[in-house]
Amino acid sequence: TEVHMPLKGLVNFDKEIQRLTKELQGLDRELTATLKKLSNEAFIRKAPPEVVDKAKVKQEELEHKKRKLKAGMQRIQEFSGP
C-alpha cells in the first residue's frame, strides 16, 4: 500500500537539497580517498587481504549511498518544481 500526500508547505525543499548536497560532498571526499587507497599498488601489495577487502566493500557501499542520495535529490527537485 502506498500513501501519497502533498509535501509542499511541509518540507523546505531548498534546505533539504542543501543538506543532501553537503552529505553528497562528504561522500565524494570519502569515496575519493578510498579509491586513491585502492589504486595504490603498494597498499594492495602490502596490506592484509582482509584490509583490502574491507576497502573494496567500503567503496561499494559509498557508491551505493551516493546513487541513493542523487536519486533522492532528483525526486525532491521534481517535487519542488521550477
Side-chain angles (χ1 to χ4, degrees):
T1 303
E2 289 186 22
V3 176
H4 297 275
M5 59 186 282
L7 296 176
K8 274 204 169 172
L10 298 175
V11 175
N12 185 328
F13 292 112
D14 291 335
K15 281 190 177 184
E16 187 61 14
I17 289 172
Q18 286 176 350
R19 184 188 71 76
L20 291 175
T21 299
K22 187 175 179 180
E23 189 172 344
L24 191 56
Q25 290 169 343
L27 274 176
D28 279 336
R29 282 190 298 274
E30 198 172 350
L31 184 56
T32 298
T34 302
L35 289 171
K36 185 176 178 180
K37 185 186 289 188
L38 287 170
S39 67
N40 182 339
E41 289 182 32
F43 169 75
I44 300 296
R45 233 182 6 260
K46 294 178 182 179
E50 59 272 6
V51 172
V52 175
D53 290 343
K54 186 175 178 182
K56 288 179 182 179
V57 168
K58 182 177 181 180
Q59 174 194 353
E60 292 172 8
E61 290 172 349
L62 290 170
E63 288 173 344
H64 176 73
K65 191 170 184 181
K66 183 177 177 178
R67 284 191 299 273
K68 285 179 67 174
L69 275 176
K70 282 186 169 187
M73 284 180 66
Q74 185 176 356
R75 281 193 306 274
I76 289 171
Q77 287 169 337
E78 290 170 0
F79 285 133
S80 64

